[in-house]
Amino acid sequence: MTTRDKAGCGHDGPALPLSDALGRVLAAVAPITDSERLPIRQALGRVLASDVSSTINVPAHDNSAMDGFALRSADLPDAAPLELRHIGAALAGRPFDGRVGPGECVRIMTGAPVPEGADTVVMQERVTADNERVQIEALPLRGANVRPAGEDIRAGDVALPAGAQLQPAHIGLLASIGVAEVDVLRRPRVAFFSTGDELCEVGTPTQPGQIYDSNRYTLFGMLQRLGTEIIDLGVIPDRPDELEAGLRRAAEGSDLILTSGGVSVGEADYLVEIFDGIGQIDFWSVAIKPGRPTVFGTLGDALYFGLPGNPVSVMATFYQLARPAILKLGGLQPQAPVLISATSAAAIKTKAGRTEFLRGVLSRDAQGQYVVAKTGHQGSGILSSMTQANCFIVVPENAEIIEAGSQVDVQPFEAFV
Ligand code: AMP
Ligand code: MG
């Protein structure tokens, strides 16, 4: 599949179902294996390149879960009360230096190591004590209120496996086992540029017929959130030589290239032909709305997505196709976006044969049930529909109408962060 008939394969030609397109994208992605060593705070959000095993037990010692008194369960009688001799204290960071013998107990604070000889802690609320004697009014069970050494992580265990994405809990856990640095996968490098003679850079006044380039900004935002290394190649005009040079330059230092615009069937839409000449096209049309004329292929070692120019199409195709590819590149296993079932506030008419992503506002009604309503204007150029929405309403390929009051799937935008 290296050439296409431009007239036949644009908006009217055969388009790949979204699930097939996604399957082909993911099949083409080989995860990055290069790694780098980082201090754990800087590794937040990154993906572990290798298993991290613990050399220590966490907690390191049997320790008290309560403020109270540590005692020997062998001393527990059949019935309360029990009187013990109070021989000292154990605090977190200041262990009791000695052994608890028969008839003895030690004052103990939460987190303090349970002294040798003792195996049970009685809560301080259950005793009356003076400096020398402790009277226990309600007997604890044997072993009560003791957190055993290694109950969180045992020495020698894999504490975190290769492939884990480091969230706040993960970097805390690494600290808890005394690990200051970890090997993480290199971040995916994504090069991108906008195409179009009409595009003007923000900060400069527009000439007649020009519009501001917004796609490089939405793309920047989405890529930044995915933790990619961003290579912004600016705006390239609709000139075949410059577009080809731009694609070649983008392929040099990147794992993945994104472009917007120039992939449709208009007069100045050169990208598909150019890409076909220098790379391998996998598909160029996907049965989704917005975003049908989406190109995917490879150029050298880089993956390529030629996204449509319309600002909403860019976001929809990025989220549905490019994002999973970038996650897999980065060593993660992309999960299908979270779907919530919601009641449609109004009827939604669509065309069968394509998956539609309408911009919706998801909320809960007085009964706590999810309801969703379309934002106003749904055109693929209406970027404000994305700022007003908090979800995509996903209308499946085979549906033609969603009746008011019926259930429809939505993808909350939070799923894409
Ligand atoms: P194209 O696919 O190049 O024909 O572009 C489709 C529509 O999207 C046209 O109205 C373009 O002006 C618009 N468009 C293309 N690229 C951008 C961009 N970077 N920022 C904003 N609008 C764009
Ligand atoms: Mg264009």
Side-chain angles (χ1 to χ4, degrees):
M1 200 196 310
T2 52
T3 53
R4 71 167 190 169
D5 166 5
K6 213 170 162 180
C9 290
H11 294 293
D12 309 319
L16 211 52
L18 177 57
S19 55
D20 293 2
L22 183 59
R24 282 159 80 152
V25 166
L26 292 177
V29 177
I32 287 166
T33 53
D34 310 341
S35 64
E36 59 183 321
R37 200 166 183 76
L38 288 180
I40 55 176
R41 284 189 185 184
Q42 286 175 36
L44 182 64
R46 303 291 292 271
V47 177
L48 277 183
S50 47
D51 291 350
V52 177
S53 297
S54 180
T55 57
I56 60 170
N57 279 322
V58 181
H61 317 275
D62 290 354
N63 70 94
S64 181
M66 294 284 174
D67 294 334
F69 291 85
L71 52 87
R72 297 154 39 94
S73 58
D75 283 343
L76 289 171
D78 290 337
L82 165 67
E83 193 173 288
L84 295 170
R85 200 153 57 81
H86 179 193
I87 60 165
L91 279 73
R94 267 192 281 155
F96 174 72
D97 185 19
R99 196 182 162 83
V100 178
E104 295 176 339
C105 70
V106 160
R107 176 100 173 99
I108 193 164
M109 299 299 154
T110 303
V114 175
E116 236 183 288
D119 60 8
T120 299
V121 171
V122 60
M123 291 168 72
Q124 67 185 27
E125 290 81 352
R126 305 266 161 84
V127 310
T128 48
D130 60 31
N131 280 344
E132 268 146 44
R133 311 297 304 175
V134 174
Q135 169 114 348
I136 299 167
E137 318 292 356
L139 297 180
L141 294 174
R142 165 194 284 265
N145 303 319
V146 173
R147 303 189 288 212
E151 92 171 331
D152 186 357
I153 298 164
R154 284 205 311 273
D157 280 359
V158 172
L160 292 175
Q165 188 177 34
L166 301 177
Q167 308 294 354
H170 296 70
I171 62 171
L173 186 134
L174 288 166
S176 81
I177 60 172
V179 169
E181 290 186 339
V182 281
D183 290 323
V184 293
L185 296 177
R186 166 172 80 65
R187 295 187 297 164
R189 291 189 192 115
V190 181
F192 65 107
F193 59 86
S194 292
T195 72
D197 287 339
E198 74 279 31
L199 299 179
C200 176
E201 179 66 280
V202 284
T204 47
T206 51
Q207 304 300 318
Q210 282 195 315
I211 60 167
Y212 285 113
D213 172 14
S214 62
N215 290 341
R216 262 170 57 240
Y217 292 83
T218 46
L219 282 172
F220 167 84
M222 295 185 291
L223 290 168
Q224 180 87 352
R225 285 208 165 161
L226 286 183
T228 59
E229 205 178 294
I230 290 170
I231 305 165
D232 182 350
L233 298 175
V235 175
I236 299 190
D238 293 315
R239 289 194 31 189
D241 54 341
E242 291 195 39
L243 291 167
E244 179 174 334
L247 284 172
R248 289 188 191 280
R249 191 152 24 103
E252 267 161 33
S254 74
D255 303 300
L256 189 141
I257 307 163
L258 292 169
T259 61
S260 71
V263 290
S264 194
V265 291
E267 278 294 304
D269 291 334
Y270 302 118
L271 263 177
V272 185
E273 273 70 14
I274 293 167
F275 188 80
D276 195 17
I278 59 175
Q280 292 288 317
I281 293 184
D282 190 326
F283 59 80
W284 58 73
S285 185
V286 184
I288 59 173
K289 186 186 176 186
R292 181 181 176 104
T294 294
V295 182
F296 175 68
T298 49
L299 178 53
D301 291 333
L303 300 164
Y304 172 61
F305 283 97
L307 306 180
N310 277 309
V312 182
S313 309
V314 167
M315 298 195 77
T317 52
F318 181 93
Y319 284 140
Q320 305 305 325
L321 291 167
R323 181 178 182 276
I326 292 168
L327 293 178
K328 185 170 177 194
L329 252 182
L332 296 169
Q333 275 161 2
Q335 309 292 323
V338 172
L339 285 181
I340 291 179
S341 182
T343 305
S344 184
I348 299 173
K349 285 202 192 79
T350 63
K351 262 199 202 160
R354 63 193 185 198
T355 309
E356 292 205 19
F357 292 91
L358 299 162
R359 274 70 69 206
V361 177
L362 179 67
S363 59
R364 300 239 224 173
D365 66 15
Q367 286 72 47
Q369 303 299 311
Y370 283 118
V371 287
V372 68
K374 281 197 298 183
T375 58
H377 193 352
Q378 293 280 327
S380 59
I382 309 295
L383 193 50
S384 55
S385 70
M386 287 297 291
T387 64
Q388 288 155 9
N390 61 7
C391 66
F392 284 126
I393 302 171
V394 187
V395 184
E397 231 179 87
N398 53 8
E400 281 185 17
I401 183 148
I402 307 285
E403 303 288 355
S406 64
Q407 294 301 109
V408 64
D409 283 339
V410 309
Q411 289 176 349
F413 288 162
E414 278 86 23
F416 301 123
V417 172

